[in-house]
Amino acid sequence: MSKTYFPEVGDRIKYEGRDSDNLLAFRYYDAERKVGDKTMSEHLRFAIAYWHTFASGGQDIFGLPTFSRPWHSAGTAMDGAKETLDAAFEFFQKLGVNYYCFHDRDIAPAGATFAESCENLEKIVAMAKEHQKSTGIRLLWGTANLFSHPRYALGAATNPDAHVLAYAAAQVKAAIDATHELGGENYVFWGGREGYDTLLNTDLKQEQEQFARFLHMAVDYKKQIGFSGQFLIEPKPKEPTTHQYDTDSATTLAFLREYDLMDHFKLNIEANHATLAGHTFQHELAVASIAGKLGSVDANRGDLLLGWDTDQFPTNLYSTTLAMLVILRQGGLGSGGLNFDAKPRRTSIDTVDLFHAHIGGMDAFARGLLIAQQILDDGVFDEFISERYSSYAFGVGKEVMEGKFSLEKASAWILSNGEPSRRSGRQEMLENILNRYLEI
Ligand code: XUL
Ligand code: CO
């Protein structure tokens, strides 16, 4: 029998329903259950984040690693990478998740030279391809880590030194190649250290132009090699730098429009990044969605009492329901999915904690899906909202929407029509209705 890294879970985690008291079972996530016109697994397209779940040892800025993972005990860095890959595919299968995501340096170690790093990556990618083939598990997205190494301390594409930009571009080429080779459905650009701390040493315009050039190079390369995956940008407002260029959905969309990149990118929205930006998760999803640019989601949550990116597993039903409302309204995530960019607390030291964490996140989104579908089927908020804007369907409102109204017309119209009547927004009533649905 081949080596097992998760002996505490013998077989695949099962759906056992709401009455089950088995903590290693799903109470809501029932992969094959139809919700509307798709199964739960088609709607949710869960993915596991390699960096948190397999690469991390639980270290934080004050403390050393706390997790001792059996797959980290192998001899050389490459031996460790192979064992980690075996452990990862065992975990995906036992959890019943069809997708995973990685950074180049999570899945394969950096070598002494760039050439060696590329070689390591190619070797591990070949093994990952075998695992994918034998299990049917797929790559949701790949990305390049352009933020951990000291060479990137001042940014990658936005570095003041062109030599660093060139290094980052070479690394992105290799990461896109790896993603392409594995049939990745998307490729993500998270800004890493693309931002600044002080304008005393920063040329803002220059850095943003460099960044846009860098992304155009990636678009050109994608076309050149025929990579058909979707390019995604993941907004984040701060951390690591004080001001990140991809602060939030609106800022990122404006950047894409300004630099003629709009046709080539969608957004990957992360819940904890939304709250760091002073927005709700739902707001960020909705802003991306109405622009036709909601491509994928990093499913996690922050701690509202803390001002940083805690990357906790999503458990808040209010948030998952409101998120699924946006996702269902746009007809799903297409080639995107729900990637658990989340980590257990560093005190949750056992490998079984990885199962508890993911089961909780999957159930929270499955329940959010069921509630959101019911809300949409009943049309309750939609009816209220469309009634609220009904004055734009005729008369003056219609003229406004058709571009036929003017300030002069308004002046004449108001002189004869006077003061508008006032109407309640009924926020509390609507919140009560939402809470009723949460009982599902
Ligand atoms: C960082 C973050 C990244 C990206 C991928 O906050 O979310 O892990 O998701 O680089
Ligand atoms: Co993320």
Side-chain angles (χ1 to χ4, degrees), residues 185-240:
E185 299 191 20
N186 308 269
Y187 181 90
V188 163
F189 295 82
W190 166 55
R193 294 179 192 275
E194 313 296 21
Y196 72 95
D197 294 319
T198 171
L199 285 175
L200 295 175
N201 63 16
T202 302
D203 183 336
L204 208 53
K205 191 165 165 40
Q206 163 72 23
E207 291 205 357
Q208 297 214 9
E209 281 177 10
Q210 284 173 215
F211 195 14
R213 293 267 168 233
F214 186 87
L215 295 174
H216 273 291
M217 287 192 275
V219 169
D220 292 344
Y221 186 64
K222 173 182 194 267
K223 282 187 198 149
Q224 191 186 318
I225 63 169
F227 172 54
S228 59
Q230 174 67 50
F231 273 179
L232 299 166
I233 294 195
E234 184 177 323
K236 184 175 182 179
K238 52 192 165 198
E239 201 210 78

Side-chain angles (χ1 to χ4, degrees), residues 165 270 417:
L165 180 148
E270 177 165 325
N417 286 276

Side-chain angles (χ1 to χ4, degrees), residues 247-266:
T247 286
D248 59 5
S249 291
T251 312
T252 307
L253 290 170
F255 172 84
L256 293 175
R257 279 192 196 101
E258 181 168 352
Y259 292 103
D260 202 18
L261 288 159
M262 199 65 170
D263 290 344
H264 309 291
F265 288 85
K266 288 188 175 178

